[in-house]
Amino acid sequence: MRVHHHSGTTRERIREVAVELFGSRGYEKTSLREIADELGVTKAALYYHYRSKEELLTSIVEPVMADMTAVLDRVDEAVGPADLDPESKRQLLEDYLDVLLRHRRVCEMFARDAASMAAMGPLWDEAIKINTRMLERLSG
């Protein structure tokens, strides 16, 4: 497959390839060696940037969670965590969907591979908190 002549930093390229491979093969079935091979680098070069597959997954997931948290924080700052009026709920959903679309490849990876969610460890708890906040804002 090796078609990775993307611009961006090495770390960004590693994340792009990891999302691609985790999404198509599954998190558990993808090794750092396969990611390195896909990038055309040594496994040692990959370890220079990410010490483990879990650290790589964390670097992929954290921006999505940060964007989702920012959406919720904006709503809380504007109207507070109380019951939202219909317009605020519509805006919240629109902003949330924008995040999902911006990070669609990562979201698709999780939709296809539940093992990748389980591998998130403490980040999984944070994802649950974000989703709970979203549901609370929408349901009142």
Side-chain angles (χ1 to χ4, degrees):
M1 188 162 18
R2 200 177 295 186
V3 292
H4 303 284
H5 303 298
H6 302 280
S7 60
T9 68
T10 301
R11 288 176 65 87
E12 289 168 346
R13 288 179 43 241
I14 292 168
R15 286 191 301 269
E16 287 174 12
V17 169
V19 168
E20 183 180 306
L21 294 179
F22 292 162
S24 64
R25 298 179 186 173
Y27 175 81
E28 293 294 330
K29 294 179 182 172
T30 303
S31 68
L32 288 178
R33 158 81 53 216
E34 291 169 316
I35 294 168
D37 289 349
E38 189 68 25
L39 285 161
V41 301
T42 65
K43 191 173 172 186
L46 188 64
Y47 274 115
Y48 174 79
H49 295 284
Y50 295 101
R51 293 177 302 222
S52 67
K53 192 164 71 164
E54 293 79 14
E55 182 180 308
L56 176 56
L57 181 64
T58 297
S59 75
I60 290 167
V61 173
E62 281 181 336
V64 180
M65 292 177 43
D67 285 355
M68 289 180 176
T69 299
V71 165
L72 289 162
D73 289 347
R74 278 195 305 273
V75 168
D76 287 354
E77 289 170 13
V79 296
D83 287 344
L84 300 179
D85 60 77
E87 177 58 26
S88 296
K89 286 181 182 182
R90 186 198 62 73
Q91 186 62 53
L92 174 59
L93 282 172
E94 187 176 302
D95 293 347
Y96 188 74
L97 288 172
D98 285 343
V99 170
L100 295 178
L101 288 171
R102 189 168 46 254
H103 297 285
R104 88 175 111 258
R105 291 179 63 224
V106 175
C107 295
E108 288 170 0
M109 175 186 80
F110 283 113
R112 286 191 205 123
D113 183 24
S116 58
M117 291 189 295
M120 286 174 41
L123 278 178
W124 177 246
D125 294 334
E126 187 63 29
I128 295 295
K129 287 177 188 174
I130 290 168
N131 284 328
T132 300
R133 271 183 78 193
M134 176 64 70
L135 291 173
E136 287 171 350
R137 298 320 175 267
L138 293 173
S139 64

